[in-house]
Amino acid sequence: MQLWVSDGQVNYEFQHLLAKFKKRDPDKYHALKGIPAIKTHPLFKQYQGNVEAYGKSSNERRPYRAGQTGQGLPKIRLIPNAGS
Protein backbone atom coordinates (compact mmCIF):
# COMPACT_ATOMS: atom_id res chain seq x y z
CA MET A 1 0.00 0.00 0.00
CA GLN A 2 1.18 3.52 -0.72
CA LEU A 3 -0.11 6.98 0.16
CA TRP A 4 -0.13 9.66 -2.52
CA VAL A 5 1.39 13.03 -1.63
CA SER A 6 2.04 16.04 -3.84
CA ASP A 7 5.57 17.36 -4.21
CA GLY A 8 4.16 20.77 -3.22
CA GLN A 9 2.97 19.30 0.09
CA VAL A 10 6.34 17.65 0.75
CA ASN A 11 8.13 20.94 0.10
CA TYR A 12 5.65 22.84 2.28
CA GLU A 13 6.18 20.42 5.18
CA PHE A 14 9.96 20.61 4.82
CA GLN A 15 9.90 24.42 4.85
CA HIS A 16 7.69 24.29 7.95
CA LEU A 17 10.19 21.97 9.62
CA LEU A 18 13.09 24.26 8.67
CA ALA A 19 11.31 27.24 10.22
CA LYS A 20 11.02 25.31 13.49
CA PHE A 21 14.69 24.30 13.42
CA LYS A 22 15.73 27.89 12.67
CA LYS A 23 14.21 28.94 16.01
CA ARG A 24 14.88 25.84 18.11
CA ASP A 25 18.09 24.31 16.74
CA PRO A 26 20.08 26.66 14.47
CA ASP A 27 22.85 24.08 13.90
CA LYS A 28 20.33 21.55 12.57
CA TYR A 29 18.72 24.29 10.47
CA HIS A 30 22.03 25.15 8.80
CA ALA A 31 22.76 21.47 8.20
CA LEU A 32 19.41 20.87 6.48
CA LYS A 33 18.66 24.13 4.64
CA GLY A 34 20.84 23.27 1.65
CA ILE A 35 19.17 19.96 0.83
CA PRO A 36 18.15 20.22 -2.85
CA ALA A 37 15.42 17.54 -2.86
CA ILE A 38 13.46 15.67 -0.23
CA LYS A 39 13.31 11.90 -0.57
CA THR A 40 10.11 10.55 0.93
CA HIS A 41 9.67 7.25 2.70
CA PRO A 42 8.69 4.39 0.33
CA LEU A 43 5.21 4.44 1.88
CA PHE A 44 4.57 7.68 -0.04
CA LYS A 45 4.09 7.96 -3.78
CA GLN A 46 4.86 11.50 -4.91
CA TYR A 47 3.13 13.31 -7.76
CA GLN A 48 3.42 16.85 -9.10
CA GLY A 49 0.97 19.14 -7.39
CA ASN A 50 0.36 22.00 -5.02
CA VAL A 51 0.02 22.18 -1.27
CA GLU A 52 -3.08 20.27 -0.21
CA ALA A 53 -5.97 22.20 1.36
CA TYR A 54 -5.24 20.58 4.74
CA GLY A 55 -1.62 21.76 4.54
CA LYS A 56 -2.33 25.46 4.23
CA SER A 57 -1.98 27.88 7.10
CA SER A 58 -4.98 28.34 9.38
CA ASN A 59 -5.91 31.70 7.86
CA GLU A 60 -6.28 29.98 4.46
CA ARG A 61 -8.66 27.24 5.57
CA ARG A 62 -11.35 26.45 8.07
CA PRO A 63 -9.78 24.80 11.14
CA TYR A 64 -10.66 21.23 12.09
CA ARG A 65 -12.68 20.98 15.30
CA ALA A 66 -13.12 17.95 17.54
CA GLY A 67 -16.31 16.13 16.68
CA GLN A 68 -16.37 17.47 13.12
CA THR A 69 -17.48 14.96 10.53
CA GLY A 70 -15.19 13.96 7.71
CA GLN A 71 -16.92 16.44 5.42
CA GLY A 72 -14.35 18.77 3.92
CA LEU A 73 -11.37 16.71 5.10
CA PRO A 74 -8.91 15.46 2.48
CA LYS A 75 -9.45 12.11 0.87
CA ILE A 76 -6.47 9.76 1.04
CA ARG A 77 -5.83 7.75 -2.08
CA LEU A 78 -4.48 4.29 -1.38
CA ILE A 79 -2.89 1.99 -3.93
CA PRO A 80 -1.83 -1.59 -3.34
CA ASN A 81 1.89 -2.20 -3.17
CA ALA A 82 2.81 -4.64 -5.90
CA GLY A 83 5.71 -5.90 -3.79
CA SER A 84 3.50 -7.07 -0.90
Side-chain angles (χ1 to χ4, degrees):
M1 183 181 331
Q2 290 184 304
L3 300 174
W4 288 83
V5 62
S6 69
D7 55 357
Q9 185 65 36
V10 171
N11 186 53
Y12 176 87
E13 298 295 347
F14 184 65
Q15 295 306 313
H16 181 69
L17 180 64
L18 282 178
K20 288 183 176 187
F21 277 133
K22 190 172 186 177
K23 291 179 182 178
R24 300 176 188 173
D25 189 344
D27 292 336
K28 180 69 80 176
Y29 166 77
H30 289 294
L32 295 175
K33 74 176 184 173
I35 293 177
I38 305 305
K39 183 177 178 183
T40 58
H41 186 278
L43 174 69
F44 295 99
K45 174 105 173 138
Q46 243 178 282
Y47 65 93
Q48 287 187 338
N50 296 320
V51 177
E52 302 292 345
Y54 65 84
K56 296 181 180 177
S57 65
S58 60
N59 62 351
E60 296 176 34
R61 65 177 167 82
R62 186 179 56 146
Y64 175 78
R65 291 185 173 76
Q68 178 181 358
T69 66
Q71 184 180 6
L73 296 177
K75 295 193 185 321
I76 297 174
R77 292 183 283 171
L78 302 175
I79 60 170
N81 187 345
S84 298

